[in-house]
Amino acid sequence: MDGSNGPRFMKAIVYHQPGDPRVLGYLERPMPQAAAGQVRVRIEVSAVNPTDVKARQAAGATLPACGQVPHQDGAGIIDQVGEGVSAQRLGERVWIWDAAWRRSEGTAQQFLTMPSDQAATLPTSVSFDVGASLGIPALTAHRALTAHPAAEGPLRPGALSGMTVLVAGGAGVVGHAAIQLARWAGAEVHATVSGPEKSALALAAGACETIDYRRQDVAAVLREHQPRGADVVVEVDPTHNLVADTALLAERGVIAVYGADPGRPVTVPAHTLLLNDSRVQFVFTYLTPRPVKLASVRAVSAAASDGALEVGQEHGLPMHRYRLADTAAAHTRMEEGVVGRVLIDVAHADGRGETS
């Protein structure tokens, strides 16, 4: 319904084989039409995640015959609904999650059709930049923070009151979201960083303290401020940090691991964890059970509506913007280890877009 008399073609980024950023082509594709149970979203902003880069690099990956449009996250406006979807959703501002997971269609295109429940309402008070910055980072952070038995279930204000959270890599995109969500839920949040510039970002995000893991003993510093230890550790680098994490974990604490080097094993200090009645929980957001994922989406939407997930330098997450035609350059920047959120201004390809 609606949107069917518009343009017949759109611009998109597509790749037909894995490789470096040069495989990303900028081309014209037919305008998609929403099928039953789907919505079509006019994409305003698309975001680049490390997972998008890894998917594009994956040697030996079998890609769809039509090619792969990258990017899991984005935000935009519903301009067409399929059969079974309320017409009241037309014109709704939305943020998108897991767009390209086991699908050929990601958010690096002007229009995207997808299951209706993967387009979550974005309040008018929340910018498209924030909407595009939720998805993988915020849902991963939510899953990690709710791995503790006392925090299971969707986060809400007060859900983590009295708990201490340590976020490893507090200046990263997942670390940033974890700090913000944990603070919104009432936790005391500490973060590890690799220097003063990243310390400033983690503090701007809401951490009460940062610990420079290159110069300081993380466990000793954490326990100086919180002798009981951390209830939850949100961990990105278990190869280097897991043993140290166990030294700062509170009784019945959880180390939630969302990243790992595929080429290196991880040493698990099982006896220490056993005596502490603690556990290591690996988090892969794509495989979160659907009901749990949808509950997480609602919680993240509530946090964004409350203004708890703001982005930008002043909120601890610098923005780096590119045009849709320059997506390959955006991927190169990501591969170079840029700090902050890499965004694609999709709407600007034809003159649309909001300033945020």
Side-chain angles (χ1 to χ4, degrees), residues 8-348:
R8 295 175 56 198
F9 296 94
M10 65 169 182
K11 296 294 186 181
I13 300 297
V14 184
Y15 62 98
H16 291 85
Q17 62 185 26
D20 65 31
R22 291 174 295 181
V23 303
L24 297 171
Y26 178 59
L27 48 81
E28 203 167 67
R29 302 180 94 199
M31 179 71 71
Q33 303 298 318
Q38 291 187 334
V39 296
R40 187 174 71 187
V41 179
R42 190 182 76 212
I43 301 296
E44 297 287 326
V45 181
S46 174
V48 189
N49 287 291
T51 186
D52 301 314
V53 171
K54 291 174 184 176
R56 189 251 305 150
Q57 294 172 331
T62 301
L63 299 177
C66 61
Q68 178 68 52
V69 177
H71 303 173
Q72 303 289 348
D73 298 342
I77 299 171
I78 293 176
D79 85 320
Q80 187 185 74
V81 297
E83 182 181 352
V85 180
S86 172
Q88 292 183 348
R89 296 207 72 185
L90 287 168
E92 182 180 323
R93 301 168 82 255
V94 295
W95 63 277
I96 294 163
W97 52 274
D98 289 10
W101 173 244
R102 294 176 176 169
R103 288 172 15 107
S104 63
E105 307 300 312
T107 63
Q109 55 188 324
Q110 290 179 302
F111 292 84
L112 169 67
T113 58
M114 62 189 315
S116 177
D117 63 3
Q118 285 182 243
T121 301
L122 186 69
T124 55
S125 61
V126 182
S127 72
F128 286 125
D129 283 2
V130 170
S133 298
L134 301 176
I136 296 297
L139 293 174
T140 298
H142 187 279
R143 183 71 165 153
L145 292 168
T146 55
H148 194 282
E152 290 176 344
L155 292 179
R156 64 191 184 285
L160 300 181
S161 292
M163 299 182 69
T164 299
V165 173
L166 176 69
V167 177
V173 290
V174 174
H176 176 264
I179 291 170
Q180 291 183 318
L181 280 173
R183 280 295 305 275
W184 176 69
E188 175 186 306
V189 186
H190 304 253
T192 67
V193 295
S194 60
E197 292 183 3
K198 291 185 177 180
S199 174
L201 294 176
L203 292 171
C208 69
E209 176 201 35
T210 61
I211 307 169
D212 187 334
Y213 64 82
R214 290 180 174 174
R215 299 188 304 106
Q216 298 174 285
D217 183 320
V218 176
V221 174
L222 186 283
R223 287 194 179 274
E224 281 181 11
H225 291 83
Q226 181 49 265
R228 189 174 57 84
D231 299 288
V232 179
V233 178
V234 181
E235 183 57 73
V236 65
D237 187 4
T239 299
H240 292 99
N241 299 336
L242 195 62
V243 173
D245 288 342
T246 62
L248 57 83
L249 204 58
E251 289 183 358
R252 292 177 293 280
V254 175
I255 303 169
V257 178
Y258 69 90
D261 184 341
R264 302 186 67 179
V266 175
T267 298
V268 178
H271 190 254
T272 303
L273 291 168
L274 172 65
L275 295 182
N276 209 29
D277 196 21
S278 300
R279 76 171 191 259
V280 178
Q281 173 69 56
F282 290 91
V283 172
F284 189 55
T285 183
Y286 297 120
L287 298 185
T288 302
R290 192 77 170 186
V292 176
K293 189 66 165 277
L294 293 175
S296 299
V297 167
R298 291 191 292 271
V300 167
S301 290
S305 183
D306 284 349
L309 293 171
E310 291 298 318
V311 299
Q313 182 81 29
E314 68 275 25
H315 300 290
L317 191 70
M319 299 281 102
H320 309 279
R321 317 190 74 94
Y322 293 82
R323 298 181 306 157
L324 183 62
D326 298 325
T327 298
H331 275 235
T332 297
R333 189 79 180 276
M334 179 70 75
E335 290 180 354
E336 292 170 348
V338 65
V339 176
R341 194 64 161 143
V342 177
L343 299 179
I344 308 296
D345 287 318
V346 178
H348 292 176

